[in-house]
């Protein structure tokens, strides 16, 4: 089995490392990480195990890797289209997996190949240096499904390979539900935590929670209009799950969007609250809270 990970950051390199024990793997990543992997290997610590992993790694895709069984895109959502254009000749006609944040990545990939698999992963990957990652939290198994729905042999085989590599993974026929479920969490906490520069646990303050609840309520209306069946019957039911189950596990966590802003990088807001606002407009639905917070994040990006 040949697997290529495109746009490999902390998530991509760690997944590549685990898969390298059971498949032939090559990761396309930044020069400093590729150099470190070549020199001393990829270093992993945390709940996925500790060890040094060696696998192919470079800034570009060697010719010998343009016939892989799977291409896994793990780049930030803002780079999805650029990645697909750069490697269009490789992914065309091949199974291509989105293991990314937000809504809209699969639709972009589908313009370049008709074999799209969507993935959802809720795991914390923390950089500890070049090509060195600590895995600190795993909230659920990885979910994989044919986009927009269904499974099939290619999905089942990839989920089985992930499990063989030591990654909890499940094939699902309803992957849009899983992608939207993760997006709800990100929309509720990520931008507000970034704007206020507070850990997620602080967002249980009644004033902040009012904003969180409004964001979630709007997103629920958009999901319904999109025909997405969420696991919780109502927005209120999800908010209770967020408050009692999801938030306690990540109460001390700071928003990745805050880290992007501090580092002068574009955020993924257009694939989170911005995507909710865009879809709301398409369906003639009001989404003022998602629209407002997306505009505030875009303003912060420009400072």
């Amino acid at each position: 089995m040949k697997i290529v990970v495109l746009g490999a950051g902390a998530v991509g390199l760690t997944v590549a490392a685990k898969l390298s024990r059971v498949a032939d793997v090559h990761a396309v990543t930044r020069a400093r990480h590729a150099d470190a992997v070549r020199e001393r290997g990829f270093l992993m610590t945390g709940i996925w195990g500790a060890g040094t992993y060696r696998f192919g790694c470079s800034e570009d895709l060697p010719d010998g890797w343009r016939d892989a069984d799977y291409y896994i895109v793990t780049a930030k959502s803002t780079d999805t289209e650029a990645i697909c254009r750069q490697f269009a000749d490789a992914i065309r006609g091949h199974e291509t997996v989105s293991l990314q944040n937000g809504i809209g990545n699969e639709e972009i990939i589908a313009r370049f190949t008709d074999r799209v698999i969507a993935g959802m992963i809720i795991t914390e990957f923390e950089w500890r240096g070049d090509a060195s990652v600590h895995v600190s939290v795993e909230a659920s198994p990885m979910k994989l499904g044919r986009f927009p729905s269904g499974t099939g042999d290619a999905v089942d085989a990839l989920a089985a390979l992930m499990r063989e590599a030591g990654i909890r993974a499940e094939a699902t026929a309803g992957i849009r539900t899983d992608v939207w479920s993760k997006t709800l969490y990100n929309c509720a906490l990520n931008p507000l935590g970034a704007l206020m520069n507070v850990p997620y646990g602080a967002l249980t303050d009644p004033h902040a929670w009012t904003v969180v609840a409004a964001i979630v309520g709007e997103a629920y209306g958009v999901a319904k209009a999109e025909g997405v069946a969420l696991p919780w019957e109502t927005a209120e039911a999800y908010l209770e799950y967020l408050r009692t189950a999801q938030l306690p596990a990540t109460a001390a966590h700071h928003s990745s969007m805050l880290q992007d802003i501090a580092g002068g990088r574009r955020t993924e807001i257009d694939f989170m609250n911005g995507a909710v606002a865009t879809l709301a407009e398409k369906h003639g639905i009001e989404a003022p809270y998602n629209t407002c917070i997306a505009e505030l994040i875009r303003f912060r990006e420009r400072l």
Side-chain angles (χ1 to χ4, degrees), residues 10 13-14 17 37 40-44 51-55 131-133:
L13 286 173
T14 309
V37 171
R40 46 87 169 148
F42 176 80
L43 308 180
M44 184 192 307
T52 301
Y53 298 77
R54 295 188 177 276
F55 49 90
S132 179
V133 172

Side-chain angles (χ1 to χ4, degrees), residues 4 6 68-73 80 83-84 87-88 90-100 105-106 109-110 112-119 145-147 154 158:
V4 170
L6 299 173
D69 297 286
Y70 296 94
Y71 292 88
I72 303 178
V73 180
T80 302
I83 288 284
C84 288
F87 302 108
I91 67 175
R92 187 176 296 112
H94 288 86
E95 297 290 355
T96 305
V97 185
S98 170
L99 202 59
Q100 301 168 274
N105 291 293
E106 293 82 7
I109 294 171
F112 296 86
T113 179
D114 60 354
R115 302 181 184 178
V116 182
I117 296 173
R146 178 65 64 195
F147 186 82
L158 182 58

Side-chain angles (χ1 to χ4, degrees), residues 157-214:
L158 182 58
L161 191 68
M162 291 288 183
R163 292 192 294 270
E164 186 181 352
I167 299 172
R168 292 195 303 149
E170 300 173 359
T172 174
I175 190 62
R176 287 187 79 203
T177 293
D178 296 294
V179 169
W180 268 85
S181 296
K182 181 180 179 182
T183 301
L184 271 181
Y185 173 83
N186 278 324
C187 286
L189 306 181
N190 215 331
L192 190 57
L195 289 170
M196 297 296 100
N197 192 11
V198 294
Y200 285 167
L203 299 180
T204 56
D205 176 273
H207 299 291
W209 196 252
T210 297
V211 178
V212 169

Side-chain angles (χ1 to χ4, degrees), residues 70-89:
Y70 296 94
Y71 292 88
I72 303 178
V73 180
T74 61
K76 278 190 170 291
S77 300
T78 50
D79 296 325
T80 302
E81 182 154 0
I83 288 284
C84 288
R85 290 189 181 280
Q86 183 178 357
F87 302 108
D89 61 328

Side-chain angles (χ1 to χ4, degrees), residues 4-87:
V4 170
V5 181
L6 299 173
V11 177
L13 286 173
T14 309
V15 170
K18 295 291 284 185
L19 287 172
S20 69
R21 298 289 173 90
V22 296
D24 294 328
V25 175
H26 190 91
V28 177
T29 186
R30 294 179 180 177
R32 68 177 189 271
H33 299 308
D35 291 343
V37 171
R38 286 193 294 266
E39 290 170 8
R40 46 87 169 148
F42 176 80
L43 308 180
M44 184 192 307
T45 57
I47 61 175
W48 278 14
T52 301
Y53 298 77
R54 295 188 177 276
F55 49 90
C57 209
S58 61
E59 286 185 89
D60 205 344
L61 186 62
D63 289 341
W65 287 91
R66 293 182 181 273
D67 62 344
D69 297 286
Y70 296 94
Y71 292 88
I72 303 178
V73 180
T74 61
K76 278 190 170 291
S77 300
T78 50
D79 296 325
T80 302
E81 182 154 0
I83 288 284
C84 288
R85 290 189 181 280
Q86 183 178 357
F87 302 108

Side-chain angles (χ1 to χ4, degrees), residues 265-285:
R265 298 182 295 270
R266 283 184 65 196
T267 72
E268 295 179 300
I269 193 65
D270 290 340
F271 292 81
M272 295 179 187
N273 306 76
V276 170
T278 298
L279 290 171
E281 184 176 2
K282 182 184 82 170
H283 291 290
I285 299 171

Side-chain angles (χ1 to χ4, degrees), residues 105-166:
N105 291 293
E106 293 82 7
E107 287 86 351
I108 293 173
I109 294 171
R111 302 207 304 264
F112 296 86
T113 179
D114 60 354
R115 302 181 184 178
V116 182
I117 296 173
M120 186 280 292
I121 184 169
I122 306 180
T123 305
E124 295 295 335
F125 301 90
E126 302 170 6
W127 286 115
R128 294 295 169 89
D130 292 343
S132 179
V133 172
H134 181 77
V135 185
S136 57
V137 176
E138 183 182 67
S140 72
M142 179 188 296
K143 301 292 183 66
L144 297 164
R146 178 65 64 195
F147 186 82
S149 63
T151 54
D153 292 345
V155 174
D156 293 338
L158 182 58
L161 191 68
M162 291 288 183
R163 292 192 294 270
E164 186 181 352

